[in-house]
Amino acid sequence: MDVESLQRKLKVAKLLLSDVTDTVKEFHATRPARVGFISFDLDYYSSTANAFHIFDGPDRSLLPRVSCYFVDIVSDAHQLHSDIVGELLAMKEFNELNIGIATIAAPSIMKAGTAFPAKWQQQIFVHHRFGHSDYHTYIGA
């Protein structure tokens, strides 16, 4: 990646390059806005588990529900992802450690089926932070 070229193109966004554990800490220290969406493309259990520390931040850093896209959870015959390895194991353990506090779960609308099913629909999850000060605020129209 040409870091300098990418930096020049950024107008508002900030590029944080380091180990994900350090990046999450730096993000919380310099957060410009509340997180409402995260795309996880970390390949491994350890990096994904460390990235989930993004959810440790204060309520002012996160929306009560954060949409999440997980790149490395849908398999073909070459990858064989499951909940005993990788991103899915990190997600499973996060949920077990945070019972009643938070969860990362697939929204039921993705399971309902659509006219044009696509792989990405299996990769969408939502982080629910049940104790968030805004969690019980109505979000419908």
Side-chain angles (χ1 to χ4, degrees):
M1 172 173 65
D2 184 344
V3 176
E4 290 179 19
S5 175
L6 180 56
Q7 290 280 24
R8 285 191 301 272
K9 294 177 184 177
L10 298 177
K11 303 295 183 226
V12 178
K14 182 179 178 186
L15 185 62
L16 300 175
L17 297 172
S18 68
D19 182 281
V20 70
T21 304
D22 301 326
T23 304
V24 167
K25 290 175 189 171
E26 183 178 346
F27 175 82
H28 282 306
T30 62
R31 60 145 189 79
R34 294 170 111 184
V35 174
F37 173 82
I38 301 172
S39 180
F40 292 94
D41 185 4
L42 297 162
D43 298 326
Y44 300 108
Y45 162 82
S46 57
S47 51
T48 303
N50 286 333
F52 285 164
H53 288 291
I54 191 78
F55 300 125
D56 295 343
D59 285 359
R60 62 180 163 72
S61 295
L62 304 160
L63 292 178
R65 294 162 195 83
V66 177
S67 297
C68 302
Y69 176 76
F70 290 89
V71 173
D72 301 302
I73 64 169
V74 177
S75 301
D76 58 18
H78 301 284
Q79 295 170 326
L80 305 175
H81 299 296
S82 75
D83 67 355
I84 60 169
V85 295
E87 288 182 342
L88 288 169
L89 176 60
M91 195 183 316
K92 178 181 171 184
E93 288 182 357
F94 176 89
N95 289 339
E96 289 170 353
L97 290 170
N98 290 284
I99 293 173
I101 300 167
T103 192
I104 300 171
S108 62
I109 194 165
M110 294 301 177
K111 297 176 185 174
T114 60
F116 302 101
K119 180 177 89 166
W120 66 266
Q121 293 168 324
Q122 301 171 54
Q123 296 169 276
I124 299 293
F125 287 74
V126 178
H127 170 266
H128 292 264
R129 185 173 180 155
F130 303 123
H132 191 288
S133 58
D134 292 329
Y135 191 81
H136 297 289
T137 301
Y138 181 67
I139 60 173

